[in-house]
């Protein structure tokens, strides 16, 4: 099945390459602020020929705001400045901009990083529930319990669509590092009363603990 995807944050273009390999012919657009990184990737890891992928140098929020409604099936947010997600990309106002550029039933996924007490991720889950029709959170069980700093992916579906919960659950359970999918009542308990985040009170995701990046001894 072909789809139209917008990647916010390019990195090494790993996800766009995966989509190109598994969904040949899909339209993909990437927004990356770091022009030097894009130049390096193009030089060292050039993209395969013949794929419909364009990289735009720019600010993710500004590009989303300027995109016409209903253009994409999937939007993926993996924007980080250093090791922190900018707070301006984690608010109800930004979520509404993303929902606007998705077709009915489209999906939004945000790769978040957090640790105990998981205030940032809980706030993001609450934020997306304010804007989208259905939301789930995916993470390694220890990370979801706040036992360690790590990544949690929050996925949301626009009105008219449903999350592919069965497929997601099967995939993450079979992964090399098994994860859990929180949805419905489980997600409400996980949010634990956290409130949606607005532009006025936005804050970047927390700084990872220094030990996380230290060399193993």
């Amino acid at each position: 099945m072909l789809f139209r995807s917008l990647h916010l944050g390019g990195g090494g273009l790993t996800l766009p390459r995966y989509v190109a390999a598994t969904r040949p012919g899909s339209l993909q657009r990437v927004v990356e602020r770091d022009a030097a990184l894009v130049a390096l990737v193009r030089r060292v890891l050039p993209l395969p020929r013949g794929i419909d992928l364009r990289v735009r140098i720019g600010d993710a929020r500004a590009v989303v705001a300027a995109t016409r409604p209903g253009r994409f099936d999937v939007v993926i947010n993996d924007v980080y400045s250093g090791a922190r997600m900018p707070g301006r990309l984690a608010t109800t106002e930004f979520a509404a901009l993303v929902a606007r550029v998705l077709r009915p039933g489209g999906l939004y996924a945000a790769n978040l990083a957090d640790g105990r007490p998981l205030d940032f991720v809980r706030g993001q889950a609450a934020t997306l529930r304010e804007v989208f029709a259905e939301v789930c959170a995916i993470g390694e069980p220890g990370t979801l319990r706040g036992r360690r700093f790590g990544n949690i992916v929050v996925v949301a579906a626009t009105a008219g669509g449903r999350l592919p919960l069965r497929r997601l659950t099967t995939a993450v359970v079979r992964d090399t590092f098994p994860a859990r999918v929180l949805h419905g009542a489980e997600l409400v308990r996980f949010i634990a009363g956290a409130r949606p985040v607005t532009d006025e009170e936005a804050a970047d995701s927390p700084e990872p603990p220094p030990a996380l990046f230290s060399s193993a001894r």
Side-chain angles (χ1 to χ4, degrees):
M1 180 182 70
L2 305 184
F3 57 79
R4 298 164 296 172
S5 60
L6 175 62
H7 303 264
L8 306 177
L13 302 180
T14 302
L15 284 177
R17 293 172 198 273
Y18 173 80
V19 172
T22 57
R23 301 288 190 275
S26 293
L27 177 149
Q28 299 192 78
R29 299 295 180 260
V30 178
V31 183
E32 173 57 56
R33 193 165 192 166
D34 190 337
L37 174 61
V38 172
L40 175 66
V41 171
R42 283 174 168 161
R43 185 174 70 253
V44 178
L45 297 169
L47 290 166
R49 293 182 178 274
I51 65 176
D52 190 357
L53 191 156
R54 297 178 188 171
V55 181
R56 178 172 177 177
I57 307 300
D59 175 79
R61 181 157 174 164
V63 171
V64 172
T67 299
R68 66 175 173 80
R71 176 161 170 73
F72 294 101
D73 302 299
V74 179
V75 175
I76 299 171
N77 183 355
D78 195 23
V79 176
Y80 278 80
S81 178
R84 305 178 71 180
M85 173 177 280
R88 60 194 298 271
L89 301 183
T91 67
T92 53
E93 291 88 346
F94 178 69
L97 291 175
V98 172
R100 185 185 64 84
V101 305
L102 285 167
R103 64 167 177 77
L107 299 177
Y108 173 55
N111 179 31
L112 311 176
D114 202 0
R116 186 185 296 272
L118 296 175
D119 288 340
F120 185 78
V121 170
R122 295 183 202 277
Q124 285 310 290
T127 297
L128 295 189
R129 289 182 82 237
E130 188 80 359
V131 175
F132 289 88
E134 193 175 17
V135 179
C136 73
I138 305 169
E140 184 272 330
T143 304
L144 289 171
R145 296 188 183 100
R147 292 178 179 172
R148 61 183 65 88
F149 193 98
N151 292 90
I152 295 173
V153 176
V154 181
V155 185
T158 58
R162 298 295 302 273
L163 293 172
L165 293 170
R166 181 175 297 179
R167 289 164 54 197
L168 284 173
T169 301
T170 300
V172 300
V173 166
R174 292 177 177 175
D175 194 73
T176 304
F177 300 97
R180 288 184 61 201
V181 177
L182 303 183
H183 177 260
E186 277 192 314
L187 184 65
V188 172
R189 287 194 294 271
F190 174 78
I191 292 171
R195 299 178 59 186
V197 180
T198 66
D199 280 349
E200 186 176 350
E201 56 199 2
D204 295 350
S205 64
E207 192 80 44
L212 192 66
F213 299 111
S214 63
S215 300
R217 296 182 179 179

